[in-house]
Amino acid sequence: MGGEGTLAQAAYDSGDLPACREHALRGLEDHPDDVGLLRLAGRASLELAEQDAETYLRRLLDLEPDDGAAWRDLGLSRLNGGDATGAREALERAVELLPDDDAARVNLAHVAFTTGDRGRAVQLLEDLAADAPQDLGALRSLLEMHRSSGDAQAALEVAEQLAARDQQDVLAAVEVADLQLGLEQYEAAVAAFARVRALDDEPGHAVFAYHGVIEAEARAGRWRQALDQAIEATTVDRHQLTTDLLTTAAAQLFGESEQRQPPPWDGLLQALAEERAEHRRLHQTPVSSLGRER
Amino acid sequence: MTEKAAVSPPAVAPESQWTKCPACDAFVYGRRLDHNLKVCPECDHHFRVPVRERLAQLLDAESFENLATDLEPLDVLGFEDAKPYATRIAAAQDRTGGKEAALFGTAAIDGMPIVIAAMDFAFMGGSMGGVTGEIITQAIEHATATHTPLLIIAASGGARMQEGCVSLMQLAKTSQALARLHDSGVLSICLLTDPTYGGVTASFAVLGDVLIAEPNAMVGFAGPSVIEQTIRQRLPDGFQTAEFLRDHGMLDLVERRENLRNILRKLLRFHQGSAPTLPERGGGASPITDPSSLAQRPAWEVVELARDAGRPTTLEYAGYIFDDFLELQGDRLFAEDAAIVGGLARLGKQTLVAIGHQKGHNTSELVARNFGMPNPEGYRKALRLMEMAAKFRFPIITFIDTPGAYPGLGAEERGQAVAIARSMMEMSRLPVPIVCLVTGEGGSGGALALGVGDRVLMMENSYYSVISPEGCSTILFSNAAAAPRAAEALRVTAPDLLRLKVMDAVIPEPETGAHGDPVTTAANVKEAIIACLEELLPLDPDELLRRRYDRFRLFGQPDLQPALTAPERADG
């Protein structure tokens, strides 16, 4: 690569991407077909989100069509620009050439999902989760994809895997409880929300778990248990949702009265669903964050 | 102890990070999201931004010097809930890498120095403990002592319960510090980010000179669920969003994240202390002070010209005349009133505050601006901006073009008369030059509320009147159709008002009228503004106020008030 190439590589290794790019581009002025310089120019430009990254990567791929890392970088560059279809083409080629490249696989999975190929996305993420059991990002993405697709049963299975892999994972416990409730597995949901209550010690969060238990008991028709939980919930929260649940359970057991007018059940369920979504959001992190590769 | 802290984003971001947008549910590629300043490229949702990343977005690279490195939370109550408070502090420090829910330091934006205090919502929900308030207060005091503009970036769930009343007292502590900052004439800007609630909103976050928020940022005192559960009603869509607050007069600006740095740069530039200079005169025709040199048009013709929908509006004049203009909104009390606009403007190197009634050229624009008829909140916004001008010693220019203050039920309920009266009284004692220009309709008290200045000028084809000609005609002539006669009798035109000394000068219009050639008209207006400011800027505030007092003291004084001869009536 010569002098500029050596400097570019050193800059890249030290994390000085602007310098890396500058040296690489300077080197390319004299050696436009130097694959090492093109690789560094492409990679540094990609990481700096420079729009010309694709130019160097394409030139590199014209010279080295089987460079899997360059295909991956081309895919990432296109992702930066919002070109999902182009990104998918490049990442498919990268995975073909580098089947063990986690970055290529995880990005391909997401771009496959966003371009409508859930099957391919699920397969890639399941493979990733199997290959790297310590990395929970793939499973989190998988869960979100199943949820977005309306496949609650598949989402629950993934959530249970997440919860099993890290028993202190509050978000996974919340997911399990929510999904069980949605799938009308009320007995399990009651237990799962109790687990959430034990795990989630963030101030003000206890009420979320209480509401989950009350809803599960109520939907199972166990109004006595729902009322007991609602009374207990008033020790941590006395706002409307808790008092509405209390009123509803009391009205179910003892009948409505002037002092006990329960709100419409559908509205209550909607408010509870919104609250559960908010609880999930409070614990959410980026869904997938596999380590970068150089 | 200080440390140089890197605030640039990490050079190498994770390549495989995907985030699910909570607003549109789309999976978003992390690097693309970062490149887009953490704004969803699919739906424009503004994600919450970690504090260091926020600083990197706004400040010059490597310019931030952290001055709060020694400050950590104090467990003054020995508080314990499910966990000891000390354990929660340690967990938050571990998770965020910060020591408290706020930091402060010095930095630069486009080379202009700034003191910055920024809150970190990731640290215990940005809750304000004693030391959080201490950090904010130290920032304010540092800005006061060094006379450096202050930027506060707020993000908080409210006061920190674990510190009891010590936390509560931070509201008072930070507010009193800001009072001193205001008294010292230093600019303060608050950027309210999602979410800002409770004690932070009820103290320093809303006490800046300029309040800015990002689109859809949630800002309020009580949280929406608490309100909903208290009033037992579903809240309207958009409640407590930044846009809701702006429409209710609480914010100056709602700005997209990509514009924030530029807006801050603009604000700092307006407030730079370099010697202000006005542009050279000569770009337009000089204002006329001899009434006999003015064309004598029938009053009703002038009224119709003044009402022509094509006449330039205040915002158009601002665009033509000023080298820069930044509109600021809201009365901080009730609502944003689109019938009055105002903001910071630049004329040459002179910063000033420009305020005016705003109409429109077609029905939808006119409806949106309430036909230029302000509600009390419009006058209160104007007064807020005028007081800002006084604080920073900026001259004030007002553009008057209104049929009158809005005669509505709500306007009366909210004190229309009080708002007008207060505006006139305060204008009479603002210690900065005020130039008032009647550009179209000068409709009674609604016009005069922006018309108490050191120089009052009117356009050649504008009118100024105690009542609309139609109103006078109905009341005094018992016939609405006699409006032209009433206009003549009221002496509403430029020559007569110049003779009566209500006006100091008249700004000439092109042959075709202001609407026929807005560019030439605006050049004439600019010429008049510069001429007035050249006379007024050298005066010391006491002299300025004395002359302003005398100017309005004259009217109705038997020995001093000029009188006009009776007009000849065309109809005999």
Side-chain angles (χ1 to χ4, degrees), chain B residues 482-507:
Chain B
R485 181 181 156 202
E488 209 69 55
L490 286 165
R491 307 297 191 94
V492 298
T493 63
D496 286 344
L497 293 171
L498 201 51
R499 290 187 183 96
L500 286 169
K501 296 198 173 180
V502 172
M503 291 296 144
D504 297 301
V506 174
I507 301 169

Side-chain angles (χ1 to χ4, degrees), chain B residues 335-386:
Chain B
E336 158 59 15
D337 185 353
I340 286 186
V341 294
L344 293 162
R346 196 104 169 143
L347 186 58
K349 289 184 178 172
Q350 174 71 56
T351 299
L352 45 84
V353 165
I355 299 164
H357 300 96
Q358 178 69 17
K359 289 184 178 174
H361 299 304
N362 54 47
T363 305
S364 62
E365 285 177 10
L366 285 163
V367 168
R369 301 288 180 179
N370 200 29
F371 295 84
M373 292 187 286
N375 277 286
E377 40 276 17
Y379 294 113
R380 289 177 178 135
K381 170 173 70 175
L383 185 54
R384 179 177 79 80
L385 296 176
M386 287 191 267

Side-chain angles (χ1 to χ4, degrees), chain A residues 194-217:
Chain A
R195 169 112 190 99
V196 170
R197 194 158 74 212
L199 273 182
D200 188 357
D201 58 7
E202 287 297 319
H205 283 212
V207 69
F208 297 130
Y210 269 117
H211 288 173
V213 172
I214 296 165
E215 183 179 343
E217 296 285 18

Side-chain angles (χ1 to χ4, degrees), chain B residues 35-375:
Chain B
H35 189 51
N36 214 30
L37 303 176
K38 290 257 177 5
V39 175
C40 176
E42 308 298 331
C43 75
D44 212 35
H45 169 71
H46 284 52
F47 282 73
R48 291 175 186 172
V49 183
V51 65
R52 294 272 171 179
E53 205 171 323
R54 172 78 68 181
L55 298 185
Q57 289 175 2
L58 298 176
L59 307 177
D60 292 354
E62 306 296 324
S63 71
F64 179 68
E65 186 175 3
N66 190 349
L67 299 175
T69 53
D70 290 342
L71 295 168
E72 293 191 61
L74 300 172
D75 184 9
V76 289
L77 306 183
F79 193 93
E80 191 165 339
D81 50 85
K83 283 181 189 170
Y85 176 40
T87 307
R88 289 199 187 277
I89 294 168
Q93 289 177 330
D94 191 43
R95 193 168 52 239
T96 63
K99 289 185 175 172
E100 240 297 1
L103 50 80
F104 99 92
T106 54
I109 293 178
D110 209 22
M112 292 175 281
I114 191 161
V115 174
I116 185 162
M119 301 191 75
D120 185 0
F121 189 75
F123 193 106
M124 299 188 73
S127 56
M128 180 162 65
V131 173
T132 328
E134 179 63 20
I135 290 168
I136 302 293
T137 304
Q138 287 193 17
I140 299 167
E141 289 174 347
H142 189 78
T144 309
T146 58
H147 220 74
T148 308
L150 171 72
L151 170 64
I152 297 177
I153 302 173
S156 175
R160 190 176 295 167
M161 287 174 285
Q162 292 90 338
E163 294 190 25
C165 267
V166 174
S167 165
L168 182 65
M169 290 306 115
Q170 302 313 309
L171 279 67
K173 183 170 98 178
T174 53
S175 300
Q176 69 179 13
L178 271 168
R180 287 191 176 179
L181 181 81
H182 282 299
D183 289 347
S184 69
V186 175
L187 172 69
S188 55
I189 305 164
C190 297
L191 173 60
L192 287 79
T193 69
D194 182 56
T196 301
Y197 272 96
V200 167
T201 316
S203 60
F204 62 86
V206 296
L207 293 176
D209 295 302
V210 181
L211 307 186
I212 309 170
E214 290 183 327
N216 279 313
M218 296 297 291
V219 180
F221 179 57
S225 59
V226 173
I227 297 171
E228 211 162 57
Q229 289 163 12
T230 304
I231 65 171
R232 305 186 78 79
Q233 282 175 28
R234 199 91 177 128
L235 295 168
D237 285 345
F239 179 72
Q240 289 187 331
T241 58
E243 291 77 3
F244 175 92
L245 261 73
R246 179 196 55 202
D247 294 347
H248 287 81
M250 304 301 160
L251 298 176
D252 288 283
L253 296 161
V254 177
E255 275 297 336
R256 293 173 51 77
R257 190 167 291 161
E258 64 183 352
N259 296 335
L260 286 176
R261 182 175 151 87
N262 198 34
I263 289 289
L264 293 173
R265 181 166 46 199
K266 211 175 220 201
L267 281 166
L268 292 177
R269 205 168 291 291
F270 278 127
H271 289 80
Q272 280 216 300
S274 60
T277 48
L278 291 165
E280 293 288 314
R281 284 186 60 183
S286 294
I288 298 163
T289 52
D290 175 9
S292 63
S293 67
L294 287 163
Q296 299 288 323
R297 282 198 162 108
W300 186 245
E301 190 179 318
V302 172
V303 169
E304 288 185 316
L305 277 169
R307 290 174 176 172
D308 192 291
R311 281 181 83 83
T313 64
T314 294
L315 287 176
E316 285 159 357
Y317 278 123
Y320 286 127
I321 294 168
F322 302 126
D323 299 296
D324 202 357
F325 178 70
L326 178 65
E327 187 181 346
L328 301 175
Q329 298 186 320
D331 66 343
R332 300 278 201 278
L333 290 169
F334 180 75
E336 158 59 15
D337 185 353
I340 286 186
V341 294
L344 293 162
R346 196 104 169 143
L347 186 58
K349 289 184 178 172
Q350 174 71 56
T351 299
L352 45 84
V353 165
I355 299 164
H357 300 96
Q358 178 69 17
K359 289 184 178 174
H361 299 304
N362 54 47
T363 305
S364 62
E365 285 177 10
L366 285 163
V367 168
R369 301 288 180 179
N370 200 29
F371 295 84
M373 292 187 286
N375 277 286

